[in-house]
Amino acid sequence: MAPTLLWFRRDLRLTDHPALLAARDEAGDDGVLGVFVLDDTLRGPAGPVRLAFLYRCLRALDETMDGKLCVRVGDPAELVPQLAEQVDASSVHISADYGPYGRERDEKVEQPLVAAGRRLVRTGSPYAVAPGRITKDDGAPYRVYTPFYRAWTDHGVRRPAQGVRSVPWIGADPVGIKTDGIPGDPDIDGTTLPEAGEKAGQRRLQDFLAGVQGYADNRDLPGRDATSRLSPYLKYGCLHPRTVLDQLGSSKGAETVRSEIAWRDFYADVLFHNPGSARWDLTEALAGMQYGNGSTETDEQFFEAWTQGRTGYPIVDAGMRQLLAEGWMHNRVRMITASFLIKDLHLPWQRGARWFLQRLCDGDLSSNNHGWQWTAGTGTDAAPYFRIFNPTLQGSKFDPDGSYVRRWIPELSGVEGKSVHEPWKLRGGIPEGYPQPIVDHAAERKDSLARYEAARR
Ligand SMILES: Cc1cc2nc3c(=O)[nH]c(=O)nc-3n(C[C@H](O)[C@H](O)[C@H](O)COP(=O)(O)OP(=O)(O)OC[C@H]3O[C@@H](n4cnc5c(N)ncnc54)[C@H](O)[C@@H]3O)c2cc1C
């Protein structure tokens, strides 16, 4: 037996943690050094809201480790091998990362470790089924969700890993290892974040399970708050999706949650096979698409209005204001706001995707950028170019009593019922302080279809 190092990344929990079990089993009583590296390559695009949530998750983790989490700031390729040497670890244990940057980084960390006679041991991943595992019969990856889901279901998901009894953590200080500590929260401008950490995630899961039967019928209604809101915990691995799947039971609601978690695995798989799709269109079908509105000034004004929830389309503005207020947005409204940016304001999906990643506390490269590409018609959906959400109809259909819009747009809080979705039709005019629509949806829809047709030709 020899000490080991557990390098935490997107697995900030102690239960259902196969890499932790492997680290502990290899170390025996010789101890495990738990490390998290704050890497500026990942911190850069994260934005203060996600960083604040991450730091809070780290604090919660540190507490469950009796203050023995070693946090370092810098380049993992330097720091992890150094720390392994300092504690004379036989191995560094990780949950495998399948993202474009993470894979490369892990290879860079592995080289000096191996050169020094140590191992980088990958056990488990942040997914129910690891990317790359599910393929067609000929070994090719899936590009369409429904057959992926069928194969994912046939493949099955493992049961949660057995609980950790106790881990002999090696604290940083006693062995003279430097810890930089967990930074204080950055300024998040009043954004209200969910409680962070594994215990909070577990509580959120139990609350959600109590009403999971209603999920299938209500998940598309943002005014109901019927979804799990587990995404931030899944993002940082405070909960593993396997833990969620294991407790779902078998109602219609449970089956629908299962299929949503499969979407998460699907997008991670698509990104794994197509790392360039983090930045560029997955398909080339719309490579000739013209974006923009004839002047940078107009583009900037449109983008600003969209980010601040001041487009004059209530369901869009409510979503964008929820994002600013909570660092989270309901899935249906993510689709509506994304469609509006691309198809009504004619701005490229990448701009919206970047804004979401800066603002979402669950911001995740594969789910986000492929959610955007799905909406843009550049991703995994087969024939989407004609699907242009009408923001007024979407509002009336999915927020039928207008409660979601009234919750987030105080200027419209006095407008009753679904008329809140068309404030320009109110007898007294648009309530004071709320903007006129910045574009005419009917005209922009036509424009968008013409651009798509031109791009397809
Ligand atoms: C434009 C756009 C951007 C998005 N950006 C992100 C993102 O950055 N991070 C993120 O986690 N999800 C993203 N999603 C997917 C989805 O909107 C969120 O996962 C969901 O709203 C989170 O809320 P919830 O936990 O209550 O979901 P629930 O409805 O309770 O679903 C349970 C879990 O299933 C997964 N899931 C649900 N829907 C999807 C989906 N469409 N794609 C992938 N996974 C899904 C999530 O992990 C979620 O927590 C995006 C979707 C769109 C359309």
Side-chain angles (χ1 to χ4, degrees):
M1 303 262 167
T4 57
L5 194 148
L6 176 66
W7 176 19
F8 287 102
R9 294 100 65 87
R10 291 184 53 189
D11 47 1
L12 307 183
R13 65 181 185 279
L14 298 187
T15 51
D16 189 6
H17 196 316
L20 170 56
L21 291 172
R24 189 205 57 193
D25 286 351
E26 188 181 331
D29 294 334
D30 286 341
V32 180
L33 178 69
V35 176
F36 189 91
V37 181
L38 289 164
D39 173 356
D40 283 338
T41 309
L42 291 176
R43 280 204 288 184
V49 167
R50 187 138 52 88
L51 287 179
F53 189 72
L54 167 65
Y55 297 162
R56 292 177 193 184
C57 288
L58 289 174
R59 273 180 227 125
L61 178 67
D62 186 42
E63 209 172 288
T64 53
M65 292 169 63
D66 298 325
K68 293 192 169 159
L69 177 67
C70 169
V71 174
R72 295 298 306 272
V73 177
D75 178 0
E78 279 174 26
L79 291 172
V80 173
Q82 256 173 33
L83 288 164
E85 192 180 326
Q86 275 179 284
V87 288
D88 198 16
S90 49
S91 305
V92 172
H93 289 265
I94 55 172
S95 309
D97 192 328
Y98 290 86
Y101 172 72
R103 270 153 74 193
E104 233 174 74
R105 173 205 56 204
D106 290 351
E107 278 167 24
K108 282 193 194 140
V109 172
E110 190 166 23
Q111 284 162 14
L113 282 176
V114 170
R118 307 182 210 283
R119 299 183 308 150
L120 183 71
V121 184
R122 298 165 175 85
T123 315
S125 78
Y127 301 101
V129 180
R133 188 78 57 79
I134 297 200
T135 56
K136 296 179 192 169
D137 290 343
D138 64 1
Y142 285 99
R143 290 278 280 245
V144 178
Y145 170 76
T146 306
F148 173 89
Y149 181 53
R150 242 179 269 127
W152 184 89
T153 306
D154 290 346
H155 179 279
V157 174
R158 288 193 183 172
R159 299 292 314 279
Q162 57 171 357
V164 174
R165 289 180 297 278
S166 70
V167 182
W169 294 112
I170 302 173
D173 291 340
V175 283
I177 288 174
K178 176 177 172 254
T179 177
D180 296 319
I182 303 164
D185 285 357
D187 180 7
I188 55 171
D189 203 14
T191 307
T192 315
L193 290 177
E195 199 186 336
E198 181 175 5
K199 284 186 191 147
Q202 294 281 4
R203 274 195 298 274
R204 182 72 215 122
L205 173 60
Q206 296 315 317
D207 287 351
F208 172 63
L209 290 175
V212 70
Q213 295 85 345
Y215 177 82
D217 295 332
N218 296 323
R219 62 178 286 271
D220 260 331
L221 306 175
R224 292 281 177 91
D225 242 346
T227 69
S228 70
R229 290 202 182 222
L230 288 174
S231 50
Y233 303 106
L234 291 168
K235 161 70 195 176
Y236 282 114
C238 305
L239 275 182
H240 194 278
R242 197 175 37 225
T243 315
V244 179
L245 292 168
D246 191 59
Q247 296 186 38
L248 276 176
S250 57
S251 62
K252 180 175 143 206
E255 286 315 309
T256 314
V257 179
R258 217 177 288 285
S259 70
E260 294 306 323
I261 288 179
W263 271 107
R264 181 176 181 270
D265 279 11
F266 174 58
Y267 282 150
D269 187 74
V270 174
L271 183 63
F272 171 71
H273 289 289
N274 306 276
S277 66
R279 289 180 179 200
W280 314 112
D281 291 358
L282 176 70
T283 62
E284 289 189 354
L286 298 177
M289 187 72 187
Q290 292 296 315
Y291 291 102
N293 299 280
S295 87
T296 313
E297 203 187 337
T298 310
D299 289 351
E300 292 312 310
Q301 276 170 3
F302 281 178
F303 187 67
E304 174 74 8
W306 179 79
T307 59
Q308 299 309 306
R310 296 195 60 78
T311 67
Y313 283 93
I315 191 77
V316 174
D317 294 341
M320 298 309 293
R321 293 190 197 187
Q322 180 178 29
L323 179 60
L324 293 178
E326 295 193 331
W328 186 87
M329 195 196 298
H330 186 277
N331 178 61
R332 167 62 47 182
V333 194
R334 291 189 203 205
M335 292 195 283
I336 299 169
T337 53
S339 177
F340 192 82
L341 185 80
I342 300 163
K343 295 174 183 176
D344 287 76
L345 303 182
H346 311 298
L347 295 175
W349 66 263
Q350 289 91 337
R351 267 202 99 168
R354 266 199 306 278
W355 178 256
F356 269 31
L357 284 181
Q358 278 166 16
R359 288 284 162 174
L360 283 168
C361 67
D362 66 18
D364 174 80
L365 195 63
S366 55
S367 294
N368 184 63
N369 290 24
H370 280 291
W372 274 92
Q373 294 224 38
W374 187 89
T375 310
T378 57
T380 53
D381 200 358
Y385 75 93
F386 49 80
R387 188 191 48 224
I388 297 180
F389 283 165
N390 177 322
T392 311
L393 294 182
Q394 289 282 317
S396 307
K397 184 168 176 195
F398 295 109
D399 184 29
D401 60 3
S403 56
Y404 177 74
V405 162
R406 276 190 296 279
R407 190 186 309 161
W408 293 109
I409 307 187
E411 304 96 290
L412 300 179
S413 61
V415 182
E416 285 177 15
K418 63 165 64 172
S419 56
V420 78
H421 295 294
E422 294 179 283
W424 52 87
K425 286 193 179 164
L426 294 172
R427 207 175 291 155
I430 296 176
E432 203 184 326
Y434 190 66
Q436 294 271 355
I438 55 170
V439 291
D440 171 5
H441 170 70
E444 302 311 333
R445 178 176 183 279
K446 271 194 200 141
D447 184 0
S448 225
L449 286 174
R451 291 176 191 230
Y452 276 113
E453 285 304 339
R456 268 156 48 95
R457 279 197 299 275

